[in-house]
Amino acid sequence: FTARLPLRNLIRKGGITQTARFVEQLGIALVLDDGGAAADSPIADEQAAPLLHIYLVESNDADADTYKSVLRPQAKSWVAKVAPRRGEEWLAVY
């Protein structure tokens, strides 16, 4: 995956009132959020603030009970943490 970074020649489509915008190159940093103090600390430099948070869930052999008791509460906790952040988007992938 990292061999394909930075992403190049992207078209960002905004909402109804925004026009499409061409992004020549988009640098991406993959950071593991281990829930430690660094993950919760305020970011001083707004340019360093993340624009997108992605939560990946792998559940190859998880049954419905495991999903309900373990995976769903973890995902809900993560969404509650990142959803209020202004100017940042989030995506949960199952």
Side-chain angles (χ1 to χ4, degrees):
F1 175 76
T2 56
R4 299 186 184 270
L5 298 178
L7 299 178
R8 299 182 199 299
N9 302 326
L10 304 173
I11 297 176
R12 180 191 175 272
K13 296 181 181 179
I16 296 171
T17 60
Q18 295 179 342
T19 59
R21 199 172 94 179
F22 179 75
V23 179
E24 186 174 325
Q25 182 171 314
L26 180 63
I28 295 180
L30 302 176
V31 179
L32 177 62
D33 180 1
D34 61 1
D40 295 328
S41 65
I43 299 173
D45 182 9
E46 194 166 310
Q47 292 295 322
L51 300 176
L52 174 66
H53 302 270
I54 301 175
Y55 188 80
L56 301 173
V57 177
E58 180 181 16
S59 59
N60 293 336
D61 58 350
D63 58 11
D65 292 332
T66 302
Y67 171 77
K68 289 178 184 176
S69 65
V70 179
L71 298 176
R72 188 182 343 175
Q74 289 174 349
K76 281 187 169 189
S77 172
W78 179 83
V79 168
K81 182 173 132 182
V82 299
R85 297 180 182 177
R86 295 179 50 99
E88 300 176 13
E89 300 291 327
W90 59 270
L91 172 68
V93 179
Y94 292 88

